[in-house]
Amino acid sequence: MENNRPTETEQIRQGHYLFTSESVSEGHPDKVADQISDAILDEFIAQDPQSKVACETLVTTGQVVVAGEVKSNASIDLTGVCRRIIEEIGYNRSELKFDAQACGVLSALHEQSGDINRGVERANAADQGAGDQGMMFGFACDETANLMPLALDLSHALLRELAAIRKEGSTMTYLRPDAKSQVTVEYSAEGRPVRIHTIVISTQHDEFIQPAPGISAEEADKLMLQQIRHDVATILIPRVVAQLPADIQAMFDDSLILHVNPTGKFVIGGPHGDTGLTGRKIVVDTYGGRGAHGGGAFSGKDPSKVDRSAAYAARHIAKNLVAAGVAREALVQVAYAIGVAQPVSLYVNTRGTARVAMTDGEISARVARMFDMTPYGIEQRLKLRNPIYRETAAYGHMGQQPCAVTKTFGSGNNRFSRTVELFTWERLDRVDDIRKEFGLN
């Protein structure tokens, strides 16, 4: 693995191009905020499934601020939820300047606006209107087994494994929770991934080598960087590559460019290094720039907010279309007017990769007939009125494995457990229907 080549973008075959996506760890300040917001949402929905929640979180040095609008019959231990999430992420030491048990927690939640609520709730639940106007996108492509773009999928995988190494505590014991990754993939002229071109890893760490007699501060920093880079190259990346299918493993070669902590030192990080806010990593949350994004964030919002629920539904459609063989990739757009149940538009763009003798307009019309895209229809189909959201708030809302888990909610003597199905929008449960509709059986 080489570092700091002077003409990196030129070192690809003629006609090929590069595409890059990034991810951030669960300890990144914005992701800390997202996870707190979604854990609070889960607590409300676990007690009152019809809760309306729009919860925003700010985290900074020694402080958490939670604000937003709620309409719910639930009563939650908001401070306890915040401290539990921060502890689970790994901010549990005073030297991090953001400590689960010592940070202040300020709540500024208030009642949902009646003007918004009257546009959403109806006497007949099936007539529920969209919680806001806007457009939402879903995307899928056949580059990976989970039908996600390769650069983003690898970016998530690197940080998920880095967190696993940190929590194991047997190697790379200097790791702290904050980290970022970036992966650049080389594509052929036909748009197929052929090689992993560049990986960037920036990870927060303890100051595990300090100045001493004979070792200057500059030399100590250099030695730390050398150790971290060696460990990323010989521990982290091999662990990630070993989990990949053979065809993607083959895309890693000796010409891979690796940048590790390019600034040379990353001790100050997390909410102490940079204030975190809910909803600032929406491209990391979705498709890494490969698919479009309507601009609305997900975390902290109950499923009446189509920013979230319709984006999940659009991903569900796109993934099943690609899995069924309708196209190699699909970008699904849906748009709403606030208070109106039916979407104002639905469009499928196959970007010239369709495998059926139909225009994108004809494909869109068939999809619109097949899928109920009203807010209520989406909630019912994807089981969104369940406490399933904290797990979405790190390493991507899309591309993760659907599974059933048992989660515990409440506090003190009022604790209870629920078994819920996570990432329902990742199910391939409409493939047969789509194949039949498009004559692919």
Side-chain angles (χ1 to χ4, degrees):
M1 299 178 188
E2 297 189 23
N3 195 27
N4 298 323
R5 292 184 175 184
T7 56
E8 293 171 3
T9 58
E10 298 174 6
Q11 295 176 12
I12 59 174
R13 281 165 275 185
Q14 188 172 6
H16 288 204
Y17 63 92
L18 302 177
F19 189 87
T20 301
S21 293
E22 71 158 350
S23 183
V24 299
S25 73
E26 63 201 66
H28 185 280
D30 294 330
K31 277 289 140 202
V32 174
D34 283 344
Q35 289 168 91
I36 290 172
S37 291
D38 272 339
I40 290 169
L41 170 62
D42 278 353
E43 289 288 335
F44 276 112
I45 289 182
Q47 295 184 41
D48 176 6
Q50 299 309 312
S51 295
K52 302 296 188 294
V53 181
C55 177
E56 315 289 343
T57 302
L58 176 150
V59 293
T60 189
T61 304
Q63 185 70 46
V64 177
V65 179
V66 179
E69 303 80 46
V70 175
K71 181 177 184 291
S72 177
N73 293 320
S75 177
I76 73 167
D77 177 10
L78 185 142
T79 298
V81 172
C82 293
R83 296 196 190 285
R84 172 174 59 82
I85 297 304
I86 295 165
E87 178 81 27
E88 289 175 2
I89 291 169
Y91 288 107
N92 51 16
R93 294 181 281 157
S94 60
E95 61 262 37
L96 300 178
K97 309 297 183 183
F98 186 73
D99 181 359
Q101 300 309 314
C103 65
V105 179
L106 172 64
S107 173
L109 290 175
H110 59 82
E111 186 77 11
Q112 183 189 48
S113 161
D115 292 345
I116 293 175
N117 183 260
R118 75 166 58 94
V120 175
E121 293 191 346
R122 297 285 191 273
N124 180 3
D127 296 331
Q128 168 186 323
D132 202 352
Q133 71 173 46
M135 62 281 191
M136 300 84 211
F137 291 89
F139 180 74
C141 62
D142 64 357
E143 293 178 6
T144 58
N146 59 3
L147 304 184
M148 288 289 287
L150 179 59
L152 180 65
D153 207 43
L154 289 176
S155 295
H156 287 325
L158 286 162
L159 293 185
R160 194 180 291 112
E161 195 62 28
L162 191 69
I165 291 170
R166 171 172 60 86
K167 292 173 182 179
E168 288 167 7
S170 57
T171 60
M172 302 179 74
T173 55
Y174 48 77
L175 291 173
R176 290 182 174 183
D178 195 0
K180 299 180 77 172
S181 65
Q182 189 169 280
V183 175
T184 300
V185 175
E186 179 182 338
Y187 284 82
S188 69
E190 295 73 35
R192 308 303 291 177
V194 296
R195 184 168 69 91
I196 310 306
H197 184 276
T198 302
I199 291 176
V200 182
I201 298 289
S202 295
T203 181
Q204 187 188 15
H205 58 89
D206 292 338
E207 199 149 16
F208 59 95
I209 299 176
Q210 300 198 14
I215 302 178
S216 67
E218 182 178 350
E219 289 170 331
D221 291 351
K222 185 177 179 180
L223 289 170
M224 284 194 293
L225 178 59
Q226 288 175 348
Q227 183 64 55
I228 296 167
R229 188 181 192 283
H230 174 269
D231 291 347
V232 167
T234 62
I235 299 173
L236 173 63
I237 292 179
R239 282 178 55 152
V240 171
V241 172
Q243 299 171 20
L244 300 173
D247 60 332
I248 296 178
Q249 287 186 11
M251 297 183 194
F252 289 78
D253 60 30
D254 292 339
S255 62
L256 171 67
I257 299 164
L258 177 63
H259 297 287
V260 177
N261 285 20
T263 62
K265 185 177 180 179
F266 187 4
V267 172
I268 300 171
H272 177 53
D274 188 10
T275 295
L277 292 170
T278 300
R280 287 206 300 198
K281 287 291 176 282
I282 58 177
V283 173
V284 170
D285 285 343
T286 51
Y287 308 104
R290 276 291 300 279
H293 198 294
F298 300 158
S299 289
K301 296 178 180 178
D302 76 84
S304 71
K305 281 73 172 175
V306 285
D307 277 344
R308 180 170 219 159
S309 56
Y312 291 167
R315 162 64 178 173
H316 183 235
I317 292 171
K319 185 175 183 180
N320 278 266
L321 285 172
V322 173
V326 173
R328 271 182 37 212
E329 65 178 72
L331 179 68
V332 177
Q333 187 208 54
V334 62
Y336 294 85
I338 188 169
V340 179
Q342 290 292 341
V344 299
S345 67
L346 187 148
Y347 175 58
V348 180
N349 184 351
T350 65
R351 295 177 170 175
T353 68
R355 290 168 168 164
V356 294
M358 297 180 190
T359 66
D360 285 352
E362 291 168 331
I363 293 171
S364 302
R366 293 190 179 220
V367 167
R369 289 195 299 268
M370 293 183 68
F371 290 86
D372 180 354
M373 292 296 285
T374 64
Y376 180 79
I378 293 170
E379 285 184 9
Q380 295 301 301
R381 181 167 69 253
L382 300 181
K383 304 178 183 179
L384 299 183
R385 281 285 162 196
N386 287 295
I388 58 174
Y389 296 105
R390 187 272 165 102
E391 288 79 5
T392 68
Y395 312 118
H397 292 244
M398 317 302 177
Q400 300 209 46
Q401 184 67 29
C403 61
V405 299
T406 300
K407 302 172 64 173
T408 301
F409 304 97
S411 61
N413 295 325
N414 297 316
R415 295 179 69 79
F416 61 97
S417 295
R418 290 270 305 277
T419 297
V420 295
E421 186 178 354
L422 305 179
F423 302 105
T424 53
W425 49 94
E426 294 296 321
R427 297 179 304 192
L428 294 174
D429 54 354
R430 297 298 300 275
V431 168
D432 290 344
D433 294 339
I434 290 172
R435 285 176 177 161
K436 182 178 180 180
E437 175 69 25
F438 286 88
L440 295 171
N441 284 338

